[in-house]
């Protein structure tokens, strides 16, 4: 029988894990989607002969390398934390869930090798060879996400083993890796990566456009990542519905926490806003039967409530519910921003002219990160108090070693330094990427018909 660790140790271990995962997940998103965006720009440059695309691909590949290096640091920290903070979890289930972590290691090394080739290969490899050398970076980044999510999916829907007399036997790692949570979770995560990265990469260009730098470099630099992010948002809504319906079947208590449903209910409603207390949502806007319909595609379906399990087996409802509703709200707002862009493009084959569009585009970057973090909170906090759903509690997995708090304090310093360093380097790269354009002038600016429209818009005082 495993003894529970003291509460202070558990608190600091959880805080440290939350900090590490919450930080790394943002960088990991860029590792998945940024290579795809950069290679797409390079492909457009080779296909059209337009130097703007090539210049953007060069600039983005430098930022990609910086983010990859930082992600390697935070990912290494995470791999050590699994063993240091949660040794009893790893010792019990390591044989079952270790396979995806091992394969992810190969994906990481593949990504590292081709990042080096891609960076070094500019002006050294034939253009087509260089373009192809960037494709494995994106594939390896997506593969890394897939296998890490496979391990997380196992924590939500554990399978691939038997428990006999309290021991794990008959282990089938492949069955454990391809658990039922894998496909909806991985799809949701990968699409989120493209949304977060697209909006973040578009941010500096949106700011430049707002400040009057309306050249073609900034317009294309904004349009490519922003359009990719907007195009993925509708797909993400569908994937989110898929993931939520999977939760309704396999983790019903998590769904009840997401929606603040106290009692098991036939024809369960959804409440927008408000807060959960005493088994009910107060001050929320009720939509009758909506939860039953969304979860089971039937307005009269029965949805399991929180009171179906003892209070000790329930997650913190308001934390999970607020995170879930924030994620959904931000996603809906992003859909509106994408519709705005689409309507403007259909009308004039050009970017929207309203300055409010670019102000909102600036907000979309950090908002996407907030939505990402809220989605992660919904998944992880919604599974509590279990680290492996219905099998091992989080308090039974933590290390009983003393002094965990000092590791947490040290990590705050490390991630603060990494954040400051990353922002400083990326800002410098962004400024340097603008200098060659300014020197070349007509080389990248004004040599395309779009530039005349830009100057016309500028002359009338409109946004680009």
């Amino acid at each position: 029988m495993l003894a529970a660790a003291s509460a202070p140790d558990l608190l600091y271990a959880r805080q440290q894990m939350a900090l590490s995962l919450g930080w790394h997940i943002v960088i990991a998103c860029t590792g998945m989607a940024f290579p795809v965006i950069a290679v797409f720009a390079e492909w457009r440059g080779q296909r059209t002969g337009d130097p703007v695309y090539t210049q953007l691909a060069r600039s983005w590949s430098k930022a990609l390398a910086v983010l990859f290096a930082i992600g390697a640091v935070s990912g290494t920290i995470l791999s050590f934390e699994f063993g240091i903070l949660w040794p009893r979890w790893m010792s019990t289930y390591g044989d079952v869930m270790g396979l995806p972590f091992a394969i992810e290691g190969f994906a990481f090394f593949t990504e590292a090798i081709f990042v080096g080739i891609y960076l070094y290969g500019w002006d050294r490899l034939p253009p087509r060879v260089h373009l192809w050398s960037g494709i494995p970076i994106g594939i390896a980044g997506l593969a890394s996400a897939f296998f890490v999510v496979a391990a997380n999916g196992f924590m939500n829907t554990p399978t691939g083993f038997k428990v006999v007399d309290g021991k794990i036997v008959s282990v089938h790692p492949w069955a454990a890796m391809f658990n039922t949570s894998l496909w909806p979770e991985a799809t949701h995560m990968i699409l989120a990566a493209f949304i977060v990265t697209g909006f973040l990469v578009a941010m500096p260009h949106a700011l430049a456009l707002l400040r009057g730098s309306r050249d073609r470099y900034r317009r294309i630099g904004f349009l490519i990542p922003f359009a990719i992010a907007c195009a993925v948002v509708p797909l993400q809504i569908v994937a989110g519905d898929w993931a939520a319906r999977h939760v309704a079947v396999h983790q019903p208590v998590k769904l009840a926490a997401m929606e603040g449903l106290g009692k098991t209910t036939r024809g369960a409603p959804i409440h927008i806003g408000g807060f959960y207390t005493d088994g009910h949502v107060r001050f929320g806007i009720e939509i009758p039967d909506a939860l039953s319909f969304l979860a089971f595609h039937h307005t009269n379906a029965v949805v399991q409530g929180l009171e179906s399990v003892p209070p000790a087996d329930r997650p913190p409802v308001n934390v999970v519910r607020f995170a879930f509703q924030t994620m959904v709200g931000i996603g809906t707002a992003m859909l509106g921003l994408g519709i705005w862009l689409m309507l403007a493009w259909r009308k004039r084959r050009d970017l929207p002219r309203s300055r409010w569009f670019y102000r909102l585009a600036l907000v979309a970057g950090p908002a996407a990160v907030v939505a990402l973090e809220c989605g992660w909170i919904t998944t992880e906090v919604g599974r509590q108090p279990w680290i492996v759903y219905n099998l091992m509690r989080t308090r039974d997995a933590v290390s009983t070693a003393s002094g965990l708090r000092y590791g947490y304090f040290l990590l705050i310093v490390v991630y603060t330094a990494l954040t400051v360093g990353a922002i400083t380097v990326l800002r410098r790269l962004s400024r340097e990427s603008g200098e060659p354009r300014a020197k070349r002038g007509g080389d990248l600016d004004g040599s395309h018909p779009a530039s005349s429209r830009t100057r016309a818009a500028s002359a009338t005082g409109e946004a680009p």
Side-chain angles (χ1 to χ4, degrees):
M1 185 75 178
L2 295 173
S6 62
D9 287 331
L10 177 60
L11 173 65
Y12 287 110
R14 295 180 71 165
Q15 292 299 318
Q16 181 172 336
M17 207 69 210
L19 174 61
S20 293
L21 285 170
W23 203 93
H24 181 72
I25 196 171
V26 179
I27 303 299
C29 282
T30 63
M32 286 181 258
F34 210 174
V36 177
I37 295 173
V39 169
F40 175 78
E42 185 180 3
W43 171 75
R44 286 289 297 168
Q46 292 185 13
R47 186 176 176 85
T48 64
D50 189 334
V52 168
Y53 291 105
T54 306
Q55 179 68 15
L56 282 166
R58 282 179 179 269
S59 301
W60 286 340
S61 65
K62 294 176 184 175
L64 166 67
V66 172
L67 291 169
F68 177 81
I70 295 171
V73 174
S74 58
T76 303
I77 292 173
L78 266 175
S79 63
F80 282 112
E81 286 177 335
F82 287 144
I84 293 172
L85 299 178
W86 315 102
R88 294 190 286 181
W89 168 48
M90 297 306 293
S91 63
T92 304
Y93 293 99
D95 292 344
V96 188
M97 55 181 289
L99 179 62
F101 284 127
I103 300 175
E104 192 275 337
F106 287 103
F108 170 76
F109 287 122
T110 302
E111 187 178 5
I113 291 168
F114 279 94
V115 165
I117 294 173
Y118 190 70
L119 279 177
Y120 185 76
W122 282 107
D123 301 325
R124 293 181 174 86
L125 294 174
R128 283 185 179 275
V129 175
H130 184 264
L131 177 66
W132 279 100
S133 73
I135 293 175
I137 304 174
I139 294 174
L142 295 174
S144 291
F146 180 84
F147 292 115
V148 169
V149 172
N152 182 265
F154 169 82
M155 296 161 69
N156 289 319
T157 50
T159 187
F161 64 95
K162 294 179 181 177
V163 180
V164 178
D165 297 330
K167 295 183 178 179
I168 304 299
V169 298
S170 303
V171 174
H172 297 283
W174 289 101
M177 187 169 76
F178 288 100
N179 56 81
T180 63
S181 293
L182 170 60
W183 295 108
E185 275 194 37
T187 304
H188 203 43
M189 181 69 245
I190 290 171
L191 293 177
F194 279 88
I195 295 172
V196 170
T197 305
F199 285 133
L200 285 177
V201 173
M203 273 183 65
H205 300 284
L207 181 61
L209 290 165
L210 266 177
R211 289 177 173 174
S213 298
R214 298 165 179 172
D215 54 71
R216 182 166 166 74
Y217 178 87
R218 291 301 185 187
R219 293 161 60 83
I220 299 298
F222 171 81
L223 182 60
I224 290 177
F226 196 84
I228 289 175
C230 289
V232 171
V233 168
L235 301 178
Q236 181 68 313
I237 292 173
V238 175
D241 174 69
W242 179 22
R245 284 188 287 110
H246 180 274
V247 168
V249 174
H250 297 277
Q251 294 180 286
V253 177
K254 179 188 286 187
L255 179 73
M258 290 159 59
E259 300 293 351
L261 184 68
K263 294 182 179 179
T264 300
T265 306
R266 181 182 297 279
I270 276 178
H271 292 86
I272 300 174
F275 63 92
Y276 180 84
T277 182
D278 298 329
H280 302 280
V281 174
R282 306 292 184 189
F283 308 113
I285 302 172
E286 181 176 322
I287 304 176
D289 302 331
L291 180 56
S292 290
F293 178 76
L294 290 175
F296 298 102
H297 289 176
H298 197 294
T299 56
N300 206 32
V302 175
V303 181
Q304 186 174 327
L306 289 158
E307 294 179 5
S308 60
V309 297
D313 291 349
R314 302 172 193 168
V317 177
N318 281 314
V319 173
V320 177
R321 187 168 176 273
F322 179 76
F324 177 67
Q325 295 219 345
T326 301
M327 177 187 66
V328 173
I330 291 174
T332 305
M334 289 174 174
L335 181 65
L337 206 54
I339 292 173
W340 190 346
L341 174 65
M342 182 183 69
L343 292 177
W345 194 261
R346 286 192 61 182
K347 185 176 181 180
R348 298 187 304 273
R349 302 288 295 174
D350 200 357
L351 294 172
R353 296 177 178 175
S354 170
R355 295 180 65 83
W356 275 106
F357 177 81
Y358 298 97
R359 292 188 180 108
L360 292 175
L362 270 178
V363 175
V369 173
V370 171
L372 176 74
E373 300 288 0
C374 285
W376 170 73
I377 290 171
T378 302
T379 299
E380 297 304 299
V381 180
R383 192 184 57 245
Q384 301 303 315
W386 308 100
I387 191 168
V388 179
Y389 190 61
N390 277 342
L391 290 173
M392 174 180 270
R393 292 178 184 274
T394 306
R395 73 186 184 200
D396 295 332
V398 71
S399 170
T400 56
S402 60
L404 294 183
R405 68 190 63 185
Y406 301 112
Y408 173 53
F409 297 150
L410 176 62
L411 205 66
I412 292 175
V413 175
V414 170
Y415 279 126
T416 300
L418 279 175
T419 302
V420 172
I423 292 174
T424 301
V425 173
L426 291 175
R427 288 189 64 185
R428 180 169 296 178
L429 284 175
S430 180
R431 287 197 298 268
E432 289 176 353
S433 68
E435 290 175 2
R437 291 179 302 103
K439 291 176 180 176
R440 284 199 291 267
D443 188 13
L444 298 177
D445 184 15
S447 59
H448 192 276
S451 298
S452 60
R453 293 197 296 272
T454 304
R455 287 191 292 273
S458 178
T460 59
E462 294 176 324

